[in-house]
Amino acid sequence: MISYIRGYYIITVEGIGTERFLNHLIRNKINVYNVTRISNTKIQFYVDRHDIKEFKQVYKGNNFDIKVKQKTGIPFIAKRIYKYKGMWICAIVSLVLLMLTSQFVTDIYIQSPEGIKEDELRKELYEAGLKPGVYKKSIDRKEIREQIMKEFDEVAYISINVKGTNVFVTITKKAESLKSTDQSNYCNVIAQKNGIIERVIPRSGKSVVNSGDIVQKGDMLITGANSKSIPEVWASTFYEVKKSSSYIDTEKKKTGKSKNVYTINFYDKKYTIRRNIEFKDYEIENKEHKLTIGNYTFPIKINTSIFHETESIRVEKDKEELKEELSKQVLNELDYIIPASAKIVDVKHKHSVNKNILEYSITVQTSENIVKIDPLTKAQAEQFINEEERSKEGEEIIPSNPDKIPKNDIRNEIDKDNSEQNTNEQNSNGR
């Protein structure tokens, strides 16, 4: 690869004594590699481009037939490209033209539902400035959207996406509204875990919880939210992990006493020399012995089982070291279960000893967004919207105490007119 970057020559030398010629080149510090013998009197080798001048001086006046078979490498390719200036100038111009033309719209694809004529819609898009040949960055999506929705009452929304040199226009019709089982852009927000509500950011929908409320997993937090503007509900959540381990361990230690049991294997048959093992606790160590001479292995194997007597020793671990080990295990598990988006507010460490068991626990208080989206179908969304409209259009409740009626309420003016009319009637009767 390095030789290709630097450039090299493939040279053939023909004559008697080519080996002496190679030695002569090497003595003159000319780098020669990839030497190949073609025939008894002909060889081929590579010479780097920067050594070619010294090579020419060395072979002058000799009796060998020397030929340059091939020139290979980046410098030779660059030199050939430089000779054809018109070619790379045209390539640069073509690249610039391609980059310029990619900034303009070539095609417009429209996806419209039934009831909206595509031809009329395309005509309005052209008048709004969205047509082939227009500069992509000059497209004003908001202005085009407003103009189309003004001309077509049945259009609920228009989506304009630019991909490459193509524009994709998607039309959503109002009539396709809310009577199917398909998912809508309305949703309810429920709690995905237990917590104490800290604050509610209802970007959309109606909140049913307040700060300080305790919620359980699955409780309703916000109704009728928009999935394109999802609210946030931040709550205090708690994570606790416990780990326990015995700080008193039992280890087995060899006493130094042992007994051997031998098993002789001859092909597929086994013969065991049994011995009574009187040890209560022991460990077994197995060894195998083979009989070989040179590359030949005899079909006899002797397995030795060594029974080492052991005794149990009670070992007490260092409580501080065990506590640190359990702490690392707990923290590793907490790192796994606590979401990356949660903010850690407080961490409490606790440990207790019960008999020979050491228990270590860590409780972490976090602040996190506990919302979980529960999508509504279009039928459910329609029902929600109708209920909202009925609640807004409902009659106003008249206060039972007239003194609680607001001063600027029209009912005060009606009562005033009635009282003045009664006063005038009384005066007229008195006369």
Side-chain angles (χ1 to χ4, degrees), residues 223-407:
T223 60
N226 193 316
S227 58
K228 295 182 179 179
S229 181
I230 299 175
E232 293 182 19
V233 179
W234 289 82
S236 295
T237 55
F238 299 87
Y239 298 88
E240 185 180 36
V241 175
K242 296 180 180 179
K243 294 288 183 181
S244 60
S245 179
S246 174
Y247 62 88
I248 296 177
D249 199 1
T250 302
E251 294 182 357
K252 290 186 176 181
K253 185 179 179 181
K254 295 179 181 179
T255 62
K257 297 179 180 181
S258 63
K259 287 187 178 182
N260 297 342
V261 175
Y262 300 97
T263 302
I264 300 173
N265 297 323
F266 183 74
Y267 290 106
D268 57 347
K269 295 182 179 181
K270 293 183 179 181
Y271 304 94
T272 302
I273 303 174
R274 299 185 179 277
R275 299 185 64 184
N276 292 328
I277 307 299
E278 299 173 353
F279 303 145
K280 292 182 179 180
D281 296 323
Y282 54 83
E283 292 180 354
I284 301 175
E285 181 185 358
N286 293 314
K287 294 182 180 180
E288 185 179 74
H289 305 278
K290 297 179 181 180
L291 182 60
T292 59
I293 297 177
N295 294 328
Y296 180 75
T297 301
F298 288 90
I300 298 176
K301 296 179 183 178
I302 300 175
N303 293 331
T304 304
S305 298
I306 306 172
F307 289 77
H308 298 279
E309 184 185 24
T310 60
E311 59 181 358
S312 298
I313 299 175
R314 185 173 175 176
V315 178
E316 184 173 346
K317 298 180 182 178
D318 185 85
K319 293 182 181 179
E320 293 299 324
E321 292 181 359
L322 182 60
K323 190 193 303 181
E324 185 177 352
E325 181 182 347
L326 292 175
S327 173
K328 290 179 181 179
Q329 294 177 9
V330 172
L331 289 173
N332 289 336
E333 187 169 340
L334 285 170
D335 287 340
Y336 179 76
I337 64 175
I338 295 177
S341 58
K343 301 175 183 177
I344 296 177
V345 177
D346 188 23
V347 180
K348 292 182 179 179
H349 298 255
K350 184 180 178 181
H351 72 277
S352 61
V353 178
N354 185 12
K355 295 183 179 179
N356 62 337
I357 301 298
L358 174 64
E359 184 180 74
Y360 196 93
S361 65
I362 298 178
T363 304
V364 180
Q365 178 184 351
T366 64
S367 176
E368 60 179 302
N369 186 13
I370 62 169
V371 299
K372 181 180 179 181
I373 302 303
D374 182 19
L376 298 178
T377 63
K378 292 186 177 180
Q380 291 172 331
E382 181 183 22
Q383 183 181 358
F384 172 78
I385 292 171
N386 291 336
E387 290 176 356
E388 287 290 314
E389 290 178 351
R390 281 197 297 270
S391 64
K392 291 180 181 178
E393 294 175 359
E395 294 182 358
E396 181 184 7
I397 299 175
I398 300 175
S400 58
N401 186 356
D403 295 335
K404 293 185 178 180
I405 300 177
K407 293 183 179 180

